[in-house]
Amino acid sequence: MTTHHLDTKLLHIGSAPFDPETGTAPVNLPSMRTSTVRFENLAALERVFAKRAAGERAISYGRSGMDTHRALEEVFMQLEGGTYCVLAPSGMAAINIAFLGILKTGDHVLVCDGVYGPVRNLDRALLKGLGISVTYFAAQDDLDALITPETKMIYVESPGSLLFEMLDLPAMAAVAKRHGVLLATDNTWGSGYIYRPLALGADISVVAGTKYVAGHSDVMLGAVVAKDESVAARLHSAQYAMGNSISADDAWLALRGVKTMAVRMPQHAINALKVCAFFDAQPYVAKIFNPAWHKDAGYALWQRDCTGANGMLSVELKCSPDAAKAYVDALTLFGIGFSWGGYESLVQWVDPGTLAAHTYWKHSPNALLRFHIGLEDIDDLIDDLKQAANYLPRT
Ligand SMILES: *Cc1c(COP(=O)(O)O)cnc(C)c1O
């Protein structure tokens, strides 16, 4: 199995084992819902705890998950190219595990300014009170100069949220290594399928499985994947202490969703590039943000480090954020909403206040809209974008 391609592995992880008596099996593992585990006798219980003492994953209680969860952990490990995986009930919970597993009072963390917005809330709501200090940096800043003796982690997201700024992960990993600091990345954009930070030198990869892994807008899910045993032990310990667990049904839905990732992801990318080409020809568009678009500032890094793209893009319109509201409301096939990675198209009107924190944004007074391009017929999507443009101010 190890020699097979990722697409093949993703289809075969979580195949149900044969019943030893009948020699038959369903195709998929069932969703193993349980609150606790029954042991045949005390000797069986002791065997489980001996395994755990030896550092092996052995099932002893519902919270740590059953076979359905183990299969999903395997999915994330294969996607990200890691050897350890901790599941979490949301992407945000996975981010928490990375921060609280690695950092303690007195520590300092460098966070890239293009990170997912709620990370700043984690900083305000929890990290400050715990005495963990955060410095936000821009991609072009000299990281060496920002690292202090207290710095324990560099936390980045590439491509970044909202503007998809590509970061030079191998260069950042080299700085991190030089200083003995861990590099953690939010890889929700790549989801291990089109971008693999661990192979580029990162130590920890966090994924919101809510997005492309589950892929059907029906599950909240997160995962933290690591390569190193001692790092993984800290992540497991944080997860265990915080009592994170995910429902077997959600694990099962994600296992089902990931089976079609190999066909969904490229189709999202094809559709998104067609939308980029359409926007590129419109007089009301000032700029397109998508690292796989050949005019994007991150295109060279994307070509070097990514193996594909997805359905995400943003556009800066030549009008005020307020003027763009009528355009958003006029769209009929794009749901107005946060999140992404499901099969459907979405649009998000980006609050100019949240953009102020991104140095990649040139503090333009223009509107920014973020799109997730779904799997609808691309001609229908473009027709919808065309008709909504009638609601924009004349340019
Ligand atoms: C959505 C998202 C998250 C959070 O995931 P949830 O499952 O919604 O908590 C984290 N990082 C990025 C980049 C995201 O887009």
Side-chain angles (χ1 to χ4, degrees):
M1 173 144 162
T2 46
T3 57
H4 290 148
H5 293 91
L6 178 62
D7 287 354
T8 306
K9 289 180 184 172
L10 290 177
L11 294 193
H12 290 273
I13 295 168
S15 288
F18 290 109
D19 179 318
E21 266 175 36
T22 63
T24 59
V27 175
N28 296 315
L29 267 182
S31 162
M32 289 191 190
R33 302 171 61 110
T34 194
S35 59
T36 191
V37 171
R38 289 188 300 130
F39 300 91
E40 192 175 12
N41 48 41
L42 286 173
L45 185 147
E46 278 161 26
R47 277 197 302 277
V48 163
F49 279 85
K51 266 190 168 181
R52 281 178 49 147
E56 286 177 52
R57 300 278 274 138
I59 289 158
S60 58
Y61 188 57
R63 200 165 58 219
S64 54
M66 304 286 288
D67 302 20
T68 323
H69 301 77
R70 288 296 98 79
L72 185 58
E73 288 169 6
E74 184 62 30
V75 160
F76 280 107
M77 287 190 275
Q78 290 293 344
L79 282 169
E80 294 292 328
T83 26
Y84 302 90
C85 172
V86 175
L87 297 177
S90 68
M92 198 57 217
I95 293 172
N96 266 277
I97 290 171
F99 274 87
L100 299 176
I102 302 303
L103 304 170
K104 56 182 175 11
T105 300
D107 286 347
H108 171 242
V109 55
L110 286 168
V111 174
C112 192
D113 66 3
V115 283
Y116 181 60
V119 172
R120 290 171 195 265
N121 184 51
L122 165 65
D123 174 12
R124 285 188 298 268
L126 286 179
L127 302 182
K128 269 203 174 58
L130 292 170
I132 296 164
S133 61
V134 179
T135 302
Y136 296 93
F137 68 95
Q140 68 277 8
D141 287 351
D142 175 11
L143 274 184
D144 275 298
L146 293 173
I147 291 176
T148 73
E150 284 70 45
T151 310
K152 295 289 150 49
M153 183 164 87
I154 302 171
Y155 179 89
V156 302
E157 184 179 326
S158 176
S161 272
L162 302 177
L163 300 165
F164 311 109
E165 180 179 19
M166 282 298 301
L167 302 180
D168 190 342
L169 282 190
M172 289 181 169
V175 176
K177 238 163 227 94
R178 197 153 62 236
H179 292 270
V181 166
L182 295 175
L183 177 64
T185 61
D186 181 331
N187 191 32
T188 301
W189 183 91
S191 288
Y193 197 74
I194 50 177
Y195 191 40
R196 305 183 96 197
L198 295 182
L200 297 172
D203 301 286
I204 297 171
S205 189
V206 177
V207 181
T210 309
K211 310 285 168 61
Y212 283 116
V213 174
H216 293 74
S217 304
D218 50 9
V219 177
M220 299 300 294
L221 174 70
V224 194
V225 185
K227 299 180 285 194
D228 178 81
E229 191 179 346
S230 66
V231 171
R234 289 155 79 183
L235 300 171
H236 272 298
S237 155
Q239 176 211 29
Y240 189 67
M242 293 193 282
N244 276 305
S245 72
I246 75 163
S247 105
D249 286 359
D250 286 349
W252 186 89
L253 278 170
L255 282 170
R256 189 173 74 165
V258 82
K259 302 285 187 232
T260 55
M261 200 174 186
V263 287
R264 284 187 281 114
M265 202 70 124
Q267 193 59 44
H268 280 291
I270 289 167
N271 284 0
L273 284 178
K274 285 184 179 166
V275 170
C276 287
F278 166 77
F279 275 138
D280 196 44
Q282 307 310 309
Y284 56 83
V285 171
K287 197 168 177 185
I288 297 165
F289 298 89
N290 171 345
W293 174 241
H294 64 283
K295 295 182 183 175
D296 189 275
Y299 186 64
L301 279 178
W302 175 81
Q303 275 188 310
R304 189 191 71 184
D305 291 343
C306 300
T307 54
N310 61 25
M312 301 301 291
L313 62 102
S314 288
V315 282
E316 178 184 342
L317 300 180
K318 291 176 188 163
C319 69
S320 72
D322 271 344
K325 285 180 174 170
Y327 171 83
V328 170
D329 282 340
L331 291 166
T332 62
L333 290 176
F334 293 80
I336 300 175
F338 305 105
S339 198
W340 41 275
Y343 50 84
E344 83 288 15
S345 289
L346 289 166
V347 59
Q348 181 189 345
W349 180 89
V350 181
D351 184 333
T354 65
L355 276 175
H358 295 245
T359 40
Y360 198 53
W361 179 247
K362 296 299 173 217
H363 300 287
S364 143
N366 287 339
L368 185 82
L369 301 182
R370 188 187 73 179
F371 289 90
H372 175 249
I373 308 303
L375 303 175
E376 296 90 344
D377 186 287
I378 188 61
D379 293 334
D380 291 341
L381 292 178
I382 287 176
D383 282 347
D384 195 30
L385 295 168
K386 277 184 190 159
Q387 65 77 24
N390 293 325
Y391 295 80
L392 284 170
R394 296 269 156 247
T395 43

